[in-house]
Amino acid sequence: MKILQAFARPSAGPVPMLALEHGAIPWLLAVALATAGPHFAHLPWWLSLLVGSMLLWRVWLWQQGRPLPPRWALVLLVIGSIAAIAWQFRTLLGKDAGVALLVVFMALKPMEMSRRRDALVVIMLGYFLLLTHYLYSQSIPTGAWLLAAIALLTAALLRLHGGAQPVATILRHAVLLLAQALPFMLILYLLFPRVSGPLWGLPQDAYAGLSGLSEEMSPGSISRLTLSSAIAFRSRFASEPPEKSDLYWRGPVFDEYDGHSWRARPLPAGAAKQLPVVTGIDAPLAYTSILEAHNRRWLLALDIATRLPPDSMLAPTLEALAREPVRLRAQFSFASSLDYRANVIEAPAVLQQALTLPAKINPRTRALASEWASRPPEEIAAAALAMFRNEDFYYTLRPPLLGANAMDEFLFDSRRGFCEHYASAFVFLMRAAGVPARVVAGYQGGELNPVDGYLVVRQSDAHAWTEIWLSGKGWVRFDPTAAVAPSRIEQGIAAALPSSEPLPILVRLDSDWLRQLRNRWEAANNSWNRWVLGYNPQRQREVLSRLGWRDPDWRSMSASLAILCGIALLVVTLWTLPRRLAADPVQRAWQQYCAALKQRGMARAEWEGPLDFAQRVARERPDLAALTDEAARYYAELRYGRHNRQSDQLRRLQQCRHRLPPRRRRHS
């Protein structure tokens, strides 16, 4: 009855803490699992085990009716968890450590959840925790899961305040509330002024784990990247796409070798100021690329770009670079020429750097190169390619490990390697023979998606090739992999490797219907990325201009946003309020009884609860006291009680109006 009176009476002092209803606990535990569970894929295994154990323990306590753990035990768990997270991540700040703390708090809070206030903390924490999922994924499945989790959170809030009701009724009300918010969501999506970049800064490790090319190349680096089917970027050509063998997407250029790894060394001071000179011989190809975030500056333009997007540049080593690292999915427009002359006149310091080799390593490779040194550079390159093509070299993702003289062991002993092995060996041979050469990393090929017309380039298309500098021609591409495995360049990675090699399933799809299903799914993701995640200021202006709004600014958009939200609020209110009053028989019966009392001279004030109103009626109209007290108690029990609504109580409440005595007639 105390709980009943707390709902029915206005408070005259501090509100006591209400005990948490036993039947509401499963809803709150479901909230904790739905909001924290997907993070198990990103958390350390021991932390996922701890969180899962805490939730299972709380379920057991609820089922068995056992008391909650003592406060000192929870304090020890909190301190131990924080210390373990600090040890695991070496910090308590940043994305991963911060998310881990929130997940632990979500698991431990139910262990002290005994009052309604604690339950509200769990629900509010759940709403906040949902935001953190977008730090790891912004895909369609993530959005669908979070939408379902929001519905569950809202349903738990309704269950907490509305008492025991059928599950279907609670879920239906939660979905209805979300549907009422849909117009506001659409208005905010269309008109809320967009800014270039996020509204707030993200922690330093927010971009950790992004897949893509590295700033150095060592044996196995590209072959490991090939094991991923993740999309690196999508490109759409204004005309017919080129042949697959012509699709070389340029990334970092490596010109320093230490005997094991290749790195991009800063250019000499004089050469760094020299602008690259590119002459396109054929007609340029115009295309637009949607580049996934990779936390590097490379824009991965088709070799070689002759027109660049704003805020970008062509580096002296001919790769297209953005001003800042690409940390968000972005769209760029290019024009490239497949037949070109690049830096025909090159700085002597650059050419000297392209001849540098570590001393006293790979003597057999140096001896072979010295035999070719008297030939012209193009013949030296042709001799190296002929050796790869005609001798027993193998293209594989699983080459043996190489020692200190890696080039000697690869060229004369193992003869098994991936593209980085062949590119490294070719450049070493060229430099040892006196020909300036360097390694270029990027992507080669791509697969056209017929659903949306975009060429999809995956991480599995990562590739390494070479360039040598020829007098009168500049930097010219040579791809040693094409000599060993021409099918890799002409048909793709899956055609060049046997079925025993560990390629991703999506790359080796042989079934037509599975390939079509994949194409449709990736086209849907592309549309999601462009129109939802990529709804930037430029896209917003484009959409509003199509709706007839020319040159919108933030002031006009803000005013329109306020007006439309007000109209939507009015429409939703006018639509839902009468329906809600008509749909609630308890509320309708009580209002009808109060209206009948008003006709008899007893009007209920808006602030009066049913029990307070009954007490005032007893003081002012003793003849109506018993009936009003009965009606008020029926209404309070049906409205705020713990149990399901009883049809006989509702019927008695409805009959109370008919049991009222006739109205007193006024005498003139």
Side-chain angles (χ1 to χ4, degrees), residues 303-437:
D303 216 354
I304 277 178
T306 55
R307 188 179 74 239
L308 298 173
D311 294 329
S312 64
M313 60 172 288
L314 196 66
T317 46
L318 305 175
E319 66 262 43
L321 298 177
R323 178 181 297 178
E324 299 291 338
V326 181
R327 290 172 174 166
L328 297 171
R329 184 183 294 105
Q331 179 173 299
F332 303 96
S333 296
F334 302 91
S336 294
S337 179
L338 303 183
D339 191 3
Y340 56 86
R341 297 287 184 269
N343 285 4
V344 175
I345 300 176
E346 186 62 277
V350 173
L351 298 179
Q352 182 60 40
Q353 186 167 302
L355 290 169
T356 304
L357 287 174
K360 299 179 181 180
I361 61 171
N362 303 313
R364 288 186 288 175
T365 303
R366 293 176 187 270
L368 176 61
S370 65
E371 297 177 5
W372 298 341
S374 59
R375 304 180 189 180
E378 290 181 273
E379 292 186 13
I380 296 174
L385 294 178
M387 178 182 66
F388 291 139
R389 184 182 304 110
N390 300 326
E391 299 185 22
D392 293 332
F393 284 90
Y394 299 93
Y395 185 67
T396 177
L397 284 170
R398 294 180 287 191
L401 296 176
L402 302 176
N405 294 308
M407 297 300 104
D408 284 356
E409 295 178 24
F410 170 67
L411 289 174
F412 301 102
D413 299 328
S414 71
R415 297 195 165 189
R416 305 176 68 87
F418 199 57
C419 60
E420 62 260 41
H421 297 82
Y422 290 100
S424 298
F426 183 87
V427 171
F428 196 99
L429 282 168
M430 294 301 102
R431 290 187 175 188
V435 180

Side-chain angles (χ1 to χ4, degrees), residues 93-95 135 201-207:
L93 304 177
K95 178 188 71 173
L135 295 176
L202 292 177
Q204 292 267 339
D205 63 345
Y207 309 104

Side-chain angles (χ1 to χ4, degrees), residues 475-495:
W475 291 101
V476 179
R477 181 196 310 130
F478 285 84
D479 192 349
T481 301
V484 181
S487 57
R488 162 64 184 90
I489 308 303
E490 298 169 0
Q491 302 175 43
I493 184 70

Side-chain angles (χ1 to χ4, degrees), residues 3-46:
I3 297 177
L4 179 62
Q5 291 175 351
F7 276 104
R9 294 176 179 270
S11 176
V15 179
M17 294 185 181
L18 300 179
L20 181 61
E21 185 185 348
H22 184 74
I25 294 177
W27 289 87
L28 298 167
L29 294 178
V31 162
L33 183 61
T35 55
H39 277 309
F40 288 177
H42 316 294
L43 297 176
W45 66 268
W46 62 266

Side-chain angles (χ1 to χ4, degrees), residues 101-393:
L101 285 172
L102 288 175
V103 171
V104 167
F105 295 158
M106 177 57 85
L108 293 179
K109 184 60 181 178
M111 302 302 293
E112 64 169 5
M113 188 172 59
S114 60
R115 294 180 174 86
R116 184 167 296 178
R117 185 187 65 179
D118 300 323
L120 288 174
V121 171
V122 170
I123 291 176
M124 294 302 109
L125 181 58
Y127 279 118
F128 184 79
L129 192 58
L130 289 183
L131 294 175
T132 63
H133 291 280
Y134 280 121
L135 295 176
Y136 297 94
S137 173
Q138 299 178 9
S139 63
I140 294 177
T142 300
W145 176 265
L146 297 190
L147 187 61
I150 289 176
L152 178 61
L153 279 162
T154 308
L157 197 59
L158 290 171
R159 174 62 181 84
L160 187 63
H161 288 290
Q165 302 174 54
V167 174
T169 301
I170 297 176
L171 293 177
R172 184 172 64 252
H173 289 169
V175 172
L176 181 60
L177 285 175
L178 294 178
Q180 293 171 8
L182 186 61
F184 301 95
M185 182 192 73
L186 294 177
I187 294 171
L188 289 170
Y189 169 76
L190 287 174
L191 295 179
F192 190 84
R194 304 283 163 162
V195 296
S196 298
L199 291 175
W200 55 82
L202 292 177
Q204 292 267 339
D205 63 345
Y207 309 104
L210 296 176
S211 60
L213 298 168
S214 175
E215 294 179 339
E216 67 176 48
M217 188 189 78
S218 56
S221 59
I222 294 184
S223 58
R224 286 191 296 269
L225 194 59
T226 305
L227 300 179
S228 170
S229 61
I231 294 176
F233 58 93
R234 297 174 171 91
S235 293
R236 189 170 191 172
F237 290 85
S239 57
E240 192 70 19
E243 296 293 329
K244 183 174 289 189
S245 58
D246 293 327
L247 296 174
Y248 282 84
W249 308 91
R250 191 181 190 92
V253 176
F254 305 121
D255 54 9
E256 181 182 30
Y257 182 60
D258 61 5
H260 179 264
S261 301
W262 289 89
R263 297 180 180 86
R265 185 170 60 179
L267 293 174
K273 298 179 181 179
Q274 179 178 335
L275 296 176
V277 179
V278 178
T279 303
I281 298 175
D282 60 352
L285 291 169
Y287 59 98
T288 299
S289 291
I290 301 176
L291 185 61
E292 298 293 322
H294 57 79
N295 204 24
R296 300 289 189 272
R297 294 177 61 196
W298 313 309
L299 295 180
L300 303 170
L302 192 61
D303 216 354
I304 277 178
T306 55
R307 188 179 74 239
L308 298 173
D311 294 329
S312 64
M313 60 172 288
L314 196 66
T317 46
L318 305 175
E319 66 262 43
L321 298 177
R323 178 181 297 178
E324 299 291 338
V326 181
R327 290 172 174 166
L328 297 171
R329 184 183 294 105
Q331 179 173 299
F332 303 96
S333 296
F334 302 91
S336 294
S337 179
L338 303 183
D339 191 3
Y340 56 86
R341 297 287 184 269
N343 285 4
V344 175
I345 300 176
E346 186 62 277
V350 173
L351 298 179
Q352 182 60 40
Q353 186 167 302
L355 290 169
T356 304
L357 287 174
K360 299 179 181 180
I361 61 171
N362 303 313
R364 288 186 288 175
T365 303
R366 293 176 187 270
L368 176 61
S370 65
E371 297 177 5
W372 298 341
S374 59
R375 304 180 189 180
E378 290 181 273
E379 292 186 13
I380 296 174
L385 294 178
M387 178 182 66
F388 291 139
R389 184 182 304 110
N390 300 326
E391 299 185 22
D392 293 332
F393 284 90

